[in-house]
Amino acid sequence: MRLASLAAGLALVASSIAPAQTPPPREDKLERVVIVMRHGVRSAMSSPEELGRYSRRAWPRFAVPAGHLTANGATLVTMLGGWYAAHYRQLDLLGASDCAVYYWANHTQRTEATATALAAGLTPGCAAPIHQSAAAPDPLFEAPQTPLAPLDTPRMLAAISARVDGDLAAWDARQTPGRDRFEALMLQCRRIPCSTTERSRVQRRLGDTPTAMRIDHGKPDLTSPSLQVAGIAESLVMAYADGLAFPGWSGIDAATIGKALTVHGAGINLRTRTPEVGRQTSSYLAMRLLATLQRGAGATALADPIGDAEKIVVVSGHDGTVTMLAGLLGLDWTLRDYGAGEAAPGGGLVFELWRRGATGKSVVRVRYVAQGLDQMRYRIPLSAQTPPETVAIPVPGCGDPCPLPRFTRYVLDQVSPPPKE
């Protein structure tokens, strides 16, 4: 008994003089995610006959009405939803059968169908209602008439004009190499640029488009040969991603299309990523996104959050939903198969709220996630080994990650009304 007591006493003394072991650092914890995404692969907005006026070869025909999500588009978005589910289960945000995801979609067939398809992969087996505003247009997607950012079309047009020093023709001339590359694909030219003879073999040339900046029906309206690429390029991307055949075409592959989209990316940058355009069109969305991230983080929100404290909130919109919000917040990315800052079909800005294990402070990480063109065309399963393309996006002046208080201040600065002239 005495020996046992002595041993216990020695152990107590030894423990009191032994150096204390530092506990392992607590891991960062992911607490909430907001995904602002573009709809998936849709059919072309123009008919094959209209598109064919700009090309040497006949265009493929979609099986659904103009602007609708295709069957393959739905499948691809469901695959992406499955990847999100596996990814966020691995990060311990979602449980194995977790239904804590909130879906909000704009009032169009392609955005509603995209949200439904994503839910089939992200929350399979769950009741997943697709929420929408009671009124249309929905202010999350359409510029609202609010004191926060009242529409001022002349100011918007002036901001766009300032980015080209008031000379859209000079801007267009700088896009000539990219436009020539795109035109060579459309006209199936032997070399770049196309010859005068080759350009004469189509009904309508890109160069026929007039160059002008004006206000039309209350909105900025910009036209130029390079800007004319937009609708044609979108139709090309959608048809390729949908797996449609291009009989008689050459050079129809992801690498060639990606290079040809350079001029399209430049047009997107000018039209929708001008900060003033984003401020007038996306401030309401930005404030509600911020409030959603702030929920439960001990911050005072200045707007209503989206959803009811779900772990993931999905906003299913259009390409402009993504690019105008990105323009407002100064978020930039480049993917291999697309022009800089383009919103890929099904792709989205992903805002993650993390709590740092070492300090308990909340930080925001921003990513852009999208499937590559060949991943879509060949419906390549997504996994940890074959993930979608993901780009980390530092918040300007704050970095990656960005402390939530600084992110809050940054968003408020970006949506603040400009000083009166």
Side-chain angles (χ1 to χ4, degrees):
M1 198 69 168
R2 289 178 180 176
L3 290 175
S5 299
L6 178 61
L10 289 174
L12 181 62
V13 171
S15 65
S16 67
I17 62 176
Q21 293 185 355
T22 303
R26 291 176 54 196
E27 294 184 356
D28 294 354
K29 179 178 176 55
L30 179 59
E31 295 188 329
R32 183 163 291 113
V33 174
V34 180
I35 303 172
V36 181
M37 67 180 296
R38 184 187 186 183
H39 57 75
V41 175
R42 57 156 173 78
S43 56
M45 305 301 287
S46 301
S47 69
E49 292 75 22
E50 178 63 25
L51 292 167
R53 297 175 66 195
Y54 289 91
S55 68
R56 286 284 310 282
R57 300 286 183 266
W59 280 74
R61 191 175 297 274
F62 288 88
V64 297
H68 281 220
L69 190 74
T70 69
N72 278 337
T75 297
L76 294 167
V77 170
T78 298
M79 291 167 61
L80 183 60
W83 179 85
Y84 276 128
H87 179 68
Y88 286 120
R89 281 197 297 267
Q90 184 180 26
L91 294 177
D92 294 325
L93 178 68
L94 294 178
S97 301
D98 208 326
C99 296
V101 179
Y102 186 91
Y103 301 93
W104 189 277
N106 195 18
H107 292 283
T108 64
Q109 186 277 341
R110 57 187 176 274
T111 50
E112 295 168 8
T114 291
T116 299
L118 190 78
L122 179 51
T123 50
C126 298
I130 308 304
H131 300 273
Q132 294 178 298
S133 68
D138 185 338
L140 273 182
F141 304 98
E142 306 291 339
Q145 294 281 1
T146 68
L148 180 66
L151 288 178
D152 186 341
T153 306
R155 180 185 286 275
M156 196 185 295
L157 187 62
I160 295 172
S161 178
R163 294 191 62 199
V164 297
D165 296 323
D167 192 342
L168 185 59
W171 174 88
D172 191 85
R174 292 193 294 273
Q175 313 312 315
T176 298
R179 187 175 69 248
D180 286 346
R181 186 180 294 112
F182 184 82
E183 186 179 50
L185 182 58
M186 292 297 98
L187 274 59
Q188 300 285 278
C189 299
R190 290 176 295 175
R191 58 181 59 88
I192 303 173
C194 298
S195 67
T196 301
T197 300
E198 288 171 320
R199 285 174 173 155
S200 68
R201 292 172 180 167
V202 291
Q203 295 179 38
R204 188 166 178 80
R205 299 173 300 174
L206 295 175
D208 294 335
T209 306
T211 299
M213 287 190 294
R214 56 186 176 270
I215 296 173
D216 185 31
H217 293 92
K219 296 181 179 180
D221 182 42
L222 282 69
T223 61
S224 80
S226 296
L227 292 172
Q228 184 62 32
V229 169
I232 309 169
E234 289 288 347
S235 299
L236 175 65
V237 167
M238 296 299 177
Y240 184 85
D242 202 45
L244 300 184
F246 287 78
W249 290 69
S250 62
I252 297 298
D253 56 69
T256 304
I257 291 173
K259 291 178 182 178
L261 289 178
T262 301
V263 65
H264 181 37
I268 292 292
N269 185 286
L270 181 62
R271 274 176 164 152
T272 68
R273 292 175 59 89
T274 295
E276 180 61 21
V277 173
R279 195 190 69 79
Q280 292 190 37
T281 60
S282 304
S283 288
Y284 182 69
L285 172 59
M287 290 298 293
R288 294 200 62 187
L289 183 154
L290 175 62
T292 306
L293 294 174
Q294 291 172 321
R295 190 201 297 268
T300 301
L302 299 178
D304 292 330
I306 304 169
D308 299 307
E310 288 83 1
K311 297 173 184 177
I312 299 178
V313 171
V314 176
V315 178
S316 177
H318 303 269
D319 53 345
T321 308
V322 177
T323 57
M324 289 187 285
L325 177 65
L328 169 67
L329 299 180
L331 305 177
D332 297 311
W333 64 88
T334 300
L335 301 181
R336 181 180 63 250
D337 294 341
Y338 305 94
E342 279 196 89
L349 284 168
V350 179
F351 298 82
E352 299 177 340
L353 181 73
W354 291 78
R355 188 172 297 277
R356 305 308 295 262
T359 64
K361 303 292 186 181
S362 295
V363 297
V364 176
R365 291 190 171 109
V366 186
R367 304 286 183 266
Y368 187 80
V369 176
Q371 289 154 290
L373 284 177
D374 279 344
Q375 284 181 318
M376 290 191 285
R377 183 170 181 82
Y378 302 109
R379 286 181 282 182
I380 297 173
L382 300 176
S383 66
Q385 290 70 43
T386 55
E389 293 191 61
T390 303
V391 179
I393 306 176
V395 177
C398 190
D400 176 34
C402 180
L404 181 59
R406 290 184 61 186
F407 181 77
T408 299
R409 183 70 263 163
Y410 178 75
V411 172
L412 295 178
D413 286 345
Q414 303 315 112
V415 305
S416 297
K420 293 183 179 180
E421 298 177 353

